Amino acid sequence: GAVVSQHPSRVICKSGTSVKIECRSLDFQATTMFWYRQFPKQSLMLMATSNEGSKATYEQGVEKDKFLINHASLTLSTLTVTSAHPEDSSFYICSALRTSGRVDEQFFGPGTRLTVL
Amino acid sequence: GDSVTQMEGPVTLSEEAFLTINCTYTATGYPSLFWYVQYPGEGLQLLLKATKADDKGSNKGFEATYRKETTSFHLEKGSVQVSDSAVYFCALKAAGNKLTFGGGTRVLVKP
């Protein structure tokens, strides 16, 4: 299968600082990437859809100014958690959409665990 | 809106036991259905999928059949191994490429 990486795998930061998480599709180009948030023992919640060269589409209830998404190239999307607070601590997962003829499939990164002190 | 409900875990089994994880869904239209698996420390991987009613997805000994009449997509494996220990997510995809996930079921297989 295709490979999607995330960096960093875990990050600890102080309250009020900003944290950037990178999501890369390593062996295919992805015009669309997705960002999810996963709370302990809970499911993945879609935060936003990242589109290369255009603005991200955010799900209802997700603060656009707090979770900044940039999809500047066909292999890289970044999520910046601005002015992070302890309640932003979570596991953030990205996926990249590979389109192949009539079949589209999302490939997931390994996730980034964010802890805000 | 769309939703997926799956049985809560953890499910603890002995090696070679039979595994069933129930999954039911609510969606408008005709969604595609998926099972993803998340091994410890790794990202989600697609395990199997079905795109229309009565389709059976299968992979690595796991099977699931798309049952439109019961809106279900239960995952089964006849003989589990320790290496099957993971978290399993049922998901659906309706219009577009957005996935809606169930809550996940942790499976622990003991030798």
Side-chain angles (χ1 to χ4, degrees):
Chain A
V3 180
V4 175
S5 70
Q6 278 185 245
H7 178 79
S9 58
R10 59 182 64 222
V11 56
I12 301 173
C13 70
K14 293 182 179 180
S15 186
T17 59
S18 294
V19 175
K20 181 185 284 188
I21 302 170
E22 293 184 348
C23 177
R24 294 182 185 272
S25 55
L26 297 184
D27 52 1
F28 67 100
Q29 294 182 329
T31 56
T32 302
M33 293 184 175
F34 301 89
W35 287 97
Y36 297 85
R37 186 171 177 176
Q38 185 180 24
F39 292 96
K41 300 183 179 181
Q42 293 188 31
S43 185
L44 283 75
M45 285 178 41
L46 180 64
M47 299 174 65
T49 302
S50 170
N51 301 296
E52 189 268 336
S54 64
K55 291 183 179 180
T57 305
Y58 290 82
E59 295 300 301
Q60 192 173 12
V62 178
E63 298 177 60
K64 302 177 183 182
D65 295 332
K66 179 159 195 63
F67 299 100
L68 300 180
I69 291 172
N70 185 293
H71 194 157
S73 79
L74 289 172
T75 58
L76 173 64
S77 175
T78 60
L79 169 69
T80 301
V81 183
T82 62
S83 187
H85 292 284
E87 57 266 29
D88 299 323
S89 298
S90 192
F91 197 54
Y92 292 88
I93 299 174
C94 74
S95 71
L97 183 69
R98 187 180 73 177
T99 55
S100 177
R102 296 173 59 186
V103 178
D104 296 340
E105 184 175 345
Q106 287 187 39
F107 292 89
F108 288 81
T112 296
R113 183 162 304 284
L114 169 63
T115 303
V116 185
L117 302 177
Chain B
D2 299 339
S3 67
V4 177
T5 302
Q6 59 183 104
M7 58 189 291
E8 289 189 24
V11 175
T12 303
L13 303 164
S14 296
E15 217 167 12
E16 299 184 2
F18 186 87
L19 170 68
T20 299
I21 303 176
N22 290 338
C23 171
T24 56
Y25 67 91
T26 303
T28 53
Y30 303 96
S32 295
L33 301 174
F34 305 82
W35 277 100
Y36 284 87
V37 58
Q38 186 177 32
Y39 298 105
E42 299 183 18
L44 274 73
Q45 300 174 25
L46 178 63
L47 181 58
L48 54 84
K49 67 179 181 182
T51 57
K52 62 183 187 296
D54 299 326
D55 268 3
K56 177 187 283 187
S58 61
N59 186 27
K60 298 181 180 180
F62 289 90
E63 291 184 341
T65 301
Y66 189 143
R67 301 286 188 200
K68 187 170 182 291
E69 63 276 13
T70 54
T71 61
S72 65
F73 193 54
H74 304 322
L75 182 69
E76 296 182 337
K77 184 173 185 180
S79 178
V80 293
Q81 305 300 314
V82 172
S83 58
D84 294 323
S85 298
V87 182
Y88 293 82
F89 291 92
C90 185
L92 70 81
K93 184 175 72 170
N97 284 300
K98 291 184 182 180
L99 287 168
T100 300
F101 287 89
T105 302
R106 183 174 301 276
V107 173
L108 177 61
V109 180
K110 295 186 174 179

